[in-house]
mmCIF file of all heavy atoms in Angstrom:
data_model
loop_
_atom_site.group_PDB
_atom_site.id
_atom_site.type_symbol
_atom_site.label_atom_id
_atom_site.label_comp_id
_atom_site.label_asym_id
_atom_site.label_seq_id
_atom_site.Cartn_x
_atom_site.Cartn_y
_atom_site.Cartn_z
ATOM 1 N N GLY A 1 1.602 -26.183 20.184
ATOM 2 C CA GLY A 1 3.053 -26.205 20.291
ATOM 3 C C GLY A 1 3.784 -26.259 18.970
ATOM 4 O O GLY A 1 5.016 -26.372 18.946
ATOM 5 N N GLN A 2 3.054 -26.168 17.857
ATOM 6 C CA GLN A 2 3.675 -26.204 16.533
ATOM 7 C C GLN A 2 3.349 -24.927 15.771
ATOM 8 O O GLN A 2 2.402 -24.215 16.090
ATOM 9 C CB GLN A 2 3.182 -27.408 15.730
ATOM 10 C CG GLN A 2 3.597 -28.753 16.275
ATOM 11 C CD GLN A 2 3.183 -29.890 15.362
ATOM 12 O OE1 GLN A 2 2.644 -29.688 14.275
ATOM 13 N NE2 GLN A 2 3.433 -31.111 15.798
ATOM 14 N N GLN A 3 4.154 -24.668 14.725
ATOM 15 C CA GLN A 3 3.915 -23.525 13.859
ATOM 16 C C GLN A 3 3.193 -23.981 12.591
ATOM 17 O O GLN A 3 3.629 -24.918 11.926
ATOM 18 C CB GLN A 3 5.231 -22.842 13.479
ATOM 19 C CG GLN A 3 5.921 -22.147 14.628
ATOM 20 C CD GLN A 3 7.110 -21.315 14.182
ATOM 21 O OE1 GLN A 3 7.225 -20.150 14.511
ATOM 22 N NE2 GLN A 3 8.003 -21.928 13.438
ATOM 23 N N LYS A 4 2.094 -23.314 12.269
ATOM 24 C CA LYS A 4 1.353 -23.546 11.035
ATOM 25 C C LYS A 4 1.557 -22.333 10.129
ATOM 26 O O LYS A 4 1.832 -21.227 10.614
ATOM 27 C CB LYS A 4 -0.132 -23.746 11.313
ATOM 28 C CG LYS A 4 -0.439 -24.714 12.461
ATOM 29 C CD LYS A 4 0.024 -26.130 12.173
ATOM 30 C CE LYS A 4 -0.351 -27.057 13.317
ATOM 31 N NZ LYS A 4 0.034 -28.467 13.064
ATOM 32 N N LEU A 5 1.414 -22.540 8.825
ATOM 33 C CA LEU A 5 1.726 -21.471 7.871
ATOM 34 C C LEU A 5 0.523 -21.105 7.005
ATOM 35 O O LEU A 5 -0.148 -21.984 6.463
ATOM 36 C CB LEU A 5 2.880 -21.903 6.958
ATOM 37 C CG LEU A 5 3.247 -20.925 5.826
ATOM 38 C CD1 LEU A 5 3.754 -19.598 6.394
ATOM 39 C CD2 LEU A 5 4.293 -21.540 4.909
ATOM 40 N N ILE A 6 0.285 -19.799 6.890
ATOM 41 C CA ILE A 6 -0.716 -19.274 5.954
ATOM 42 C C ILE A 6 -0.029 -18.286 5.028
ATOM 43 O O ILE A 6 0.671 -17.375 5.496
ATOM 44 C CB ILE A 6 -1.866 -18.544 6.681
ATOM 45 C CG1 ILE A 6 -2.613 -19.488 7.631
ATOM 46 C CG2 ILE A 6 -2.839 -17.939 5.669
ATOM 47 C CD1 ILE A 6 -3.647 -18.774 8.494
ATOM 48 N N ILE A 7 -0.205 -18.444 3.720
ATOM 49 C CA ILE A 7 0.106 -17.383 2.763
ATOM 50 C C ILE A 7 -1.242 -17.062 2.121
ATOM 51 O O ILE A 7 -1.852 -17.914 1.473
ATOM 52 C CB ILE A 7 1.179 -17.796 1.731
ATOM 53 C CG1 ILE A 7 1.377 -16.696 0.677
ATOM 54 C CG2 ILE A 7 0.872 -19.123 1.058
ATOM 55 C CD1 ILE A 7 2.260 -15.577 1.123
ATOM 56 N N TYR A 8 -1.737 -15.853 2.374
ATOM 57 C CA TYR A 8 -3.113 -15.525 1.994
ATOM 58 C C TYR A 8 -3.323 -15.514 0.487
ATOM 59 O O TYR A 8 -4.412 -15.834 0.008
ATOM 60 C CB TYR A 8 -3.534 -14.209 2.637
ATOM 61 C CG TYR A 8 -3.849 -14.377 4.097
ATOM 62 C CD1 TYR A 8 -2.900 -14.083 5.081
ATOM 63 C CD2 TYR A 8 -5.077 -14.877 4.500
ATOM 64 C CE1 TYR A 8 -3.192 -14.265 6.428
ATOM 65 C CE2 TYR A 8 -5.376 -15.073 5.845
ATOM 66 C CZ TYR A 8 -4.420 -14.763 6.804
ATOM 67 O OH TYR A 8 -4.697 -14.970 8.141
ATOM 68 N N SER A 9 -2.302 -15.169 -0.274
ATOM 69 C CA SER A 9 -2.375 -15.288 -1.728
ATOM 70 C C SER A 9 -0.959 -15.382 -2.281
ATOM 71 O O SER A 9 -0.091 -14.593 -1.897
ATOM 72 C CB SER A 9 -3.101 -14.101 -2.365
ATOM 73 O OG SER A 9 -3.036 -14.183 -3.786
ATOM 74 N N MET A 10 -0.750 -16.328 -3.177
ATOM 75 C CA MET A 10 0.572 -16.505 -3.799
ATOM 76 C C MET A 10 0.718 -15.699 -5.085
ATOM 77 O O MET A 10 1.784 -15.689 -5.694
ATOM 78 C CB MET A 10 0.824 -17.994 -4.068
ATOM 79 C CG MET A 10 0.880 -18.838 -2.819
ATOM 80 S SD MET A 10 1.279 -20.586 -3.119
ATOM 81 C CE MET A 10 -0.247 -21.158 -3.885
ATOM 82 N N GLY A 11 -0.372 -15.022 -5.513
ATOM 83 C CA GLY A 11 -0.292 -14.171 -6.689
ATOM 84 C C GLY A 11 -0.205 -14.942 -7.990
ATOM 85 O O GLY A 11 -0.452 -16.148 -8.051
ATOM 86 N N ASN A 12 0.154 -14.239 -9.057
ATOM 87 C CA ASN A 12 0.325 -14.864 -10.375
ATOM 88 C C ASN A 12 1.723 -15.446 -10.506
ATOM 89 O O ASN A 12 2.705 -14.836 -10.079
ATOM 90 C CB ASN A 12 0.117 -13.838 -11.491
ATOM 91 C CG ASN A 12 -1.323 -13.388 -11.618
ATOM 92 O OD1 ASN A 12 -2.247 -14.141 -11.304
ATOM 93 N ND2 ASN A 12 -1.530 -12.160 -12.077
ATOM 94 N N PHE A 13 1.806 -16.612 -11.132
ATOM 95 C CA PHE A 13 3.109 -17.208 -11.403
ATOM 96 C C PHE A 13 3.483 -17.063 -12.876
ATOM 97 O O PHE A 13 4.638 -16.890 -13.212
ATOM 98 C CB PHE A 13 3.098 -18.686 -11.002
ATOM 99 C CG PHE A 13 4.476 -19.271 -10.826
ATOM 100 C CD1 PHE A 13 5.310 -18.832 -9.807
ATOM 101 C CD2 PHE A 13 4.938 -20.274 -11.670
ATOM 102 C CE1 PHE A 13 6.585 -19.375 -9.635
ATOM 103 C CE2 PHE A 13 6.199 -20.828 -11.500
ATOM 104 C CZ PHE A 13 7.021 -20.371 -10.484
ATOM 105 N N ILE A 14 2.490 -17.154 -13.758
ATOM 106 C CA ILE A 14 2.697 -16.852 -15.181
ATOM 107 C C ILE A 14 1.383 -16.278 -15.703
ATOM 108 O O ILE A 14 0.311 -16.833 -15.459
ATOM 109 C CB ILE A 14 3.122 -18.106 -15.993
ATOM 110 C CG1 ILE A 14 3.482 -17.734 -17.443
ATOM 111 C CG2 ILE A 14 2.053 -19.168 -15.966
ATOM 112 C CD1 ILE A 14 4.801 -17.062 -17.587
ATOM 113 N N SER A 15 1.457 -15.137 -16.375
ATOM 114 C CA SER A 15 0.259 -14.515 -16.948
ATOM 115 C C SER A 15 0.701 -13.344 -17.816
ATOM 116 O O SER A 15 1.896 -13.039 -17.921
ATOM 117 C CB SER A 15 -0.689 -14.024 -15.844
ATOM 118 O OG SER A 15 -0.266 -12.766 -15.336
ATOM 119 N N ASN A 16 -0.285 -12.650 -18.425
ATOM 120 C CA ASN A 16 0.000 -11.442 -19.189
ATOM 121 C C ASN A 16 -0.396 -10.198 -18.398
ATOM 122 O O ASN A 16 -0.392 -9.091 -18.933
ATOM 123 C CB ASN A 16 -0.745 -11.469 -20.536
ATOM 124 C CG ASN A 16 -0.269 -10.382 -21.476
ATOM 125 O OD1 ASN A 16 0.935 -10.131 -21.615
ATOM 126 N ND2 ASN A 16 -1.205 -9.693 -22.126
ATOM 127 N N GLN A 17 -0.729 -10.375 -17.128
ATOM 128 C CA GLN A 17 -1.048 -9.231 -16.297
ATOM 129 C C GLN A 17 0.247 -8.575 -15.818
ATOM 130 O O GLN A 17 1.124 -9.245 -15.277
ATOM 131 C CB GLN A 17 -1.904 -9.658 -15.096
ATOM 132 C CG GLN A 17 -3.309 -10.090 -15.478
ATOM 133 C CD GLN A 17 -4.180 -10.403 -14.272
ATOM 134 O OE1 GLN A 17 -3.689 -10.813 -13.225
ATOM 135 N NE2 GLN A 17 -5.482 -10.222 -14.421
ATOM 136 N N ARG A 18 0.337 -7.251 -16.012
ATOM 137 C CA ARG A 18 1.556 -6.520 -15.661
ATOM 138 C C ARG A 18 1.295 -5.022 -15.771
ATOM 139 O O ARG A 18 0.188 -4.602 -16.154
ATOM 140 C CB ARG A 18 2.710 -6.948 -16.558
ATOM 141 C CG ARG A 18 2.438 -6.788 -18.038
ATOM 142 C CD ARG A 18 3.414 -7.551 -18.932
ATOM 143 N NE ARG A 18 4.795 -7.290 -18.616
ATOM 144 C CZ ARG A 18 5.585 -8.141 -17.936
ATOM 145 N NH1 ARG A 18 5.092 -9.285 -17.518
ATOM 146 N NH2 ARG A 18 6.832 -7.837 -17.697
ATOM 147 N N ILE A 19 2.316 -4.246 -15.465
ATOM 148 C CA ILE A 19 2.179 -2.789 -15.514
ATOM 149 C C ILE A 19 1.647 -2.337 -16.867
ATOM 150 O O ILE A 19 0.762 -1.489 -16.959
ATOM 151 C CB ILE A 19 3.538 -2.108 -15.224
ATOM 152 C CG1 ILE A 19 3.957 -2.356 -13.773
ATOM 153 C CG2 ILE A 19 3.457 -0.614 -15.510
ATOM 154 C CD1 ILE A 19 5.344 -1.831 -13.439
ATOM 155 N N GLU A 20 2.166 -2.934 -17.943
ATOM 156 C CA GLU A 20 1.833 -2.486 -19.299
ATOM 157 C C GLU A 20 0.407 -2.845 -19.720
ATOM 158 O O GLU A 20 -0.114 -2.278 -20.697
ATOM 159 C CB GLU A 20 2.816 -3.088 -20.316
ATOM 160 C CG GLU A 20 4.262 -2.623 -20.159
ATOM 161 C CD GLU A 20 5.063 -3.440 -19.156
ATOM 162 O OE1 GLU A 20 4.458 -4.298 -18.460
ATOM 163 O OE2 GLU A 20 6.296 -3.232 -19.064
ATOM 164 N N THR A 21 -0.221 -3.799 -19.037
ATOM 165 C CA THR A 21 -1.541 -4.264 -19.487
ATOM 166 C C THR A 21 -2.667 -3.976 -18.500
ATOM 167 O O THR A 21 -3.831 -4.248 -18.807
ATOM 168 C CB THR A 21 -1.518 -5.791 -19.731
ATOM 169 O OG1 THR A 21 -1.247 -6.475 -18.504
ATOM 170 C CG2 THR A 21 -0.468 -6.162 -20.763
ATOM 171 N N MET A 22 -2.348 -3.450 -17.328
ATOM 172 C CA MET A 22 -3.358 -3.293 -16.274
ATOM 173 C C MET A 22 -3.634 -1.819 -15.985
ATOM 174 O O MET A 22 -3.561 -1.350 -14.846
ATOM 175 C CB MET A 22 -2.902 -4.014 -15.001
ATOM 176 C CG MET A 22 -2.684 -5.507 -15.169
ATOM 177 S SD MET A 22 -4.197 -6.407 -15.575
ATOM 178 C CE MET A 22 -5.065 -6.310 -14.017
ATOM 179 N N ASP A 23 -3.971 -1.066 -17.028
ATOM 180 C CA ASP A 23 -4.292 0.349 -16.860
ATOM 181 C C ASP A 23 -5.463 0.524 -15.898
ATOM 182 O O ASP A 23 -6.467 -0.197 -15.973
ATOM 183 C CB ASP A 23 -4.663 0.973 -18.217
ATOM 184 C CG ASP A 23 -3.475 1.042 -19.159
ATOM 185 O OD1 ASP A 23 -2.332 0.998 -18.669
ATOM 186 O OD2 ASP A 23 -3.695 1.122 -20.389
ATOM 187 N N GLY A 24 -5.326 1.468 -14.993
ATOM 188 C CA GLY A 24 -6.412 1.764 -14.070
ATOM 189 C C GLY A 24 -6.417 0.919 -12.814
ATOM 190 O O GLY A 24 -7.260 1.122 -11.937
ATOM 191 N N VAL A 25 -5.493 -0.031 -12.706
ATOM 192 C CA VAL A 25 -5.401 -0.872 -11.512
ATOM 193 C C VAL A 25 -4.234 -0.365 -10.668
ATOM 194 O O VAL A 25 -3.080 -0.390 -11.108
ATOM 195 C CB VAL A 25 -5.200 -2.354 -11.881
ATOM 196 C CG1 VAL A 25 -5.019 -3.204 -10.622
ATOM 197 C CG2 VAL A 25 -6.387 -2.858 -12.691
ATOM 198 N N ASP A 26 -4.514 0.104 -9.470
ATOM 199 C CA ASP A 26 -3.480 0.690 -8.618
ATOM 200 C C ASP A 26 -2.355 -0.293 -8.305
ATOM 201 O O ASP A 26 -1.195 0.105 -8.153
ATOM 202 C CB ASP A 26 -4.101 1.195 -7.310
ATOM 203 C CG ASP A 26 -5.022 2.385 -7.530
ATOM 204 O OD1 ASP A 26 -4.883 3.053 -8.571
ATOM 205 O OD2 ASP A 26 -5.892 2.633 -6.668
ATOM 206 N N SER A 27 -2.706 -1.569 -8.190
ATOM 207 C CA SER A 27 -1.701 -2.580 -7.834
ATOM 208 C C SER A 27 -1.143 -3.298 -9.065
ATOM 209 O O SER A 27 -0.708 -4.440 -8.984
ATOM 210 C CB SER A 27 -2.313 -3.606 -6.877
ATOM 211 O OG SER A 27 -3.462 -4.206 -7.462
ATOM 212 N N ALA A 28 -1.137 -2.606 -10.210
ATOM 213 C CA ALA A 28 -0.746 -3.233 -11.478
ATOM 214 C C ALA A 28 0.620 -3.909 -11.408
ATOM 215 O O ALA A 28 0.797 -5.031 -11.914
ATOM 216 C CB ALA A 28 -0.762 -2.197 -12.595
ATOM 217 N N LYS A 29 1.604 -3.261 -10.793
ATOM 218 C CA LYS A 29 2.951 -3.838 -10.759
ATOM 219 C C LYS A 29 2.993 -5.142 -9.964
ATOM 220 O O LYS A 29 3.868 -5.985 -10.174
ATOM 221 C CB LYS A 29 3.956 -2.845 -10.206
ATOM 222 C CG LYS A 29 3.789 -2.520 -8.725
ATOM 223 C CD LYS A 29 4.871 -1.544 -8.260
ATOM 224 C CE LYS A 29 4.737 -1.226 -6.769
ATOM 225 N NZ LYS A 29 5.798 -0.267 -6.332
ATOM 226 N N TRP A 30 2.035 -5.312 -9.062
ATOM 227 C CA TRP A 30 2.013 -6.522 -8.246
ATOM 228 C C TRP A 30 1.456 -7.717 -9.010
ATOM 229 O O TRP A 30 1.658 -8.863 -8.600
ATOM 230 C CB TRP A 30 1.197 -6.287 -6.975
ATOM 231 C CG TRP A 30 1.831 -5.282 -6.054
ATOM 232 C CD1 TRP A 30 1.641 -3.932 -6.057
ATOM 233 C CD2 TRP A 30 2.779 -5.557 -5.025
ATOM 234 N NE1 TRP A 30 2.407 -3.348 -5.085
ATOM 235 C CE2 TRP A 30 3.117 -4.324 -4.431
ATOM 236 C CE3 TRP A 30 3.370 -6.713 -4.528
ATOM 237 C CZ2 TRP A 30 4.014 -4.208 -3.371
ATOM 238 C CZ3 TRP A 30 4.261 -6.615 -3.475
ATOM 239 C CH2 TRP A 30 4.574 -5.381 -2.910
ATOM 240 N N THR A 31 0.757 -7.486 -10.122
ATOM 241 C CA THR A 31 0.192 -8.601 -10.889
ATOM 242 C C THR A 31 1.256 -9.382 -11.650
ATOM 243 O O THR A 31 1.006 -10.512 -12.063
ATOM 244 C CB THR A 31 -0.878 -8.115 -11.882
ATOM 245 O OG1 THR A 31 -0.279 -7.247 -12.851
ATOM 246 C CG2 THR A 31 -2.003 -7.388 -11.163
ATOM 247 N N GLU A 32 2.424 -8.773 -11.861
ATOM 248 C CA GLU A 32 3.512 -9.473 -12.553
ATOM 249 C C GLU A 32 4.447 -10.174 -11.567
ATOM 250 O O GLU A 32 5.447 -10.764 -11.958
ATOM 251 C CB GLU A 32 4.299 -8.500 -13.421
ATOM 252 C CG GLU A 32 4.970 -7.378 -12.642
ATOM 253 C CD GLU A 32 5.447 -6.245 -13.531
ATOM 254 O OE1 GLU A 32 4.696 -5.810 -14.437
ATOM 255 O OE2 GLU A 32 6.592 -5.783 -13.323
ATOM 256 N N ARG A 33 4.097 -10.122 -10.288
ATOM 257 C CA ARG A 33 4.913 -10.716 -9.233
ATOM 258 C C ARG A 33 4.176 -11.887 -8.577
ATOM 259 O O ARG A 33 2.946 -11.930 -8.558
ATOM 260 C CB ARG A 33 5.240 -9.673 -8.166
ATOM 261 C CG ARG A 33 5.924 -8.428 -8.698
ATOM 262 C CD ARG A 33 6.003 -7.359 -7.622
ATOM 263 N NE ARG A 33 6.660 -6.131 -8.065
ATOM 264 C CZ ARG A 33 6.828 -5.065 -7.318
ATOM 265 N NH1 ARG A 33 6.375 -5.056 -6.061
ATOM 266 N NH2 ARG A 33 7.437 -3.982 -7.793
ATOM 267 N N GLY A 34 4.944 -12.789 -8.027
ATOM 268 C CA GLY A 34 4.359 -13.917 -7.304
ATOM 269 C C GLY A 34 5.360 -14.449 -6.303
ATOM 270 O O GLY A 34 6.406 -13.838 -6.047
ATOM 271 N N VAL A 35 5.055 -15.613 -5.738
ATOM 272 C CA VAL A 35 5.999 -16.282 -4.840
ATOM 273 C C VAL A 35 6.046 -17.772 -5.169
ATOM 274 O O VAL A 35 5.046 -18.359 -5.579
ATOM 275 C CB VAL A 35 5.644 -16.124 -3.344
ATOM 276 C CG1 VAL A 35 5.898 -14.710 -2.869
ATOM 277 C CG2 VAL A 35 4.221 -16.544 -3.063
ATOM 278 N N LEU A 36 7.216 -18.328 -4.981
ATOM 279 C CA LEU A 36 7.376 -19.782 -4.983
ATOM 280 C C LEU A 36 7.571 -20.178 -3.530
ATOM 281 O O LEU A 36 8.609 -19.891 -2.930
ATOM 282 C CB LEU A 36 8.585 -20.197 -5.823
ATOM 283 C CG LEU A 36 8.888 -21.708 -5.831
ATOM 284 C CD1 LEU A 36 7.756 -22.490 -6.477
ATOM 285 C CD2 LEU A 36 10.208 -21.992 -6.556
ATOM 286 N N MET A 37 6.558 -20.810 -2.959
ATOM 287 C CA MET A 37 6.655 -21.252 -1.567
ATOM 288 C C MET A 37 7.531 -22.498 -1.507
ATOM 289 O O MET A 37 7.386 -23.420 -2.326
ATOM 290 C CB MET A 37 5.267 -21.541 -0.998
ATOM 291 C CG MET A 37 4.339 -20.325 -0.998
ATOM 292 S SD MET A 37 5.014 -18.891 -0.130
ATOM 293 C CE MET A 37 5.148 -19.532 1.552
ATOM 294 N N ASP A 38 8.436 -22.526 -0.550
ATOM 295 C CA ASP A 38 9.454 -23.577 -0.461
ATOM 296 C C ASP A 38 9.529 -24.041 0.999
ATOM 297 O O ASP A 38 10.045 -23.332 1.856
ATOM 298 C CB ASP A 38 10.796 -22.997 -0.937
ATOM 299 C CG ASP A 38 11.884 -24.055 -1.056
ATOM 300 O OD1 ASP A 38 11.678 -25.203 -0.613
ATOM 301 O OD2 ASP A 38 12.949 -23.726 -1.615
#
């Protein structure tokens, strides 16, 4: 009767991974993104 929460991955919050540094990785733009769960 209750709701439980799963976020399968919150990603990077701070790093040097990004479009400019992740050549050859299809999801490169996603490495510079993350979530703050609230």
Side-chain angles (χ1 to χ4, degrees):
Q2 294 185 4
Q3 292 188 128
K4 313 296 182 178
L5 175 64
I6 299 173
I7 175 81
Y8 284 97
S9 174
M10 297 184 288
N12 290 331
F13 198 66
I14 186 75
S15 81
N16 191 43
Q17 291 185 331
R18 56 196 309 103
I19 293 175
E20 295 86 353
T21 63
M22 300 296 289
D23 292 339
V25 176
D26 292 339
S27 57
K29 68 178 181 180
W30 294 89
T31 64
E32 62 194 45
R33 304 171 180 179
V35 288
L36 177 64
M37 299 304 297
D38 187 351

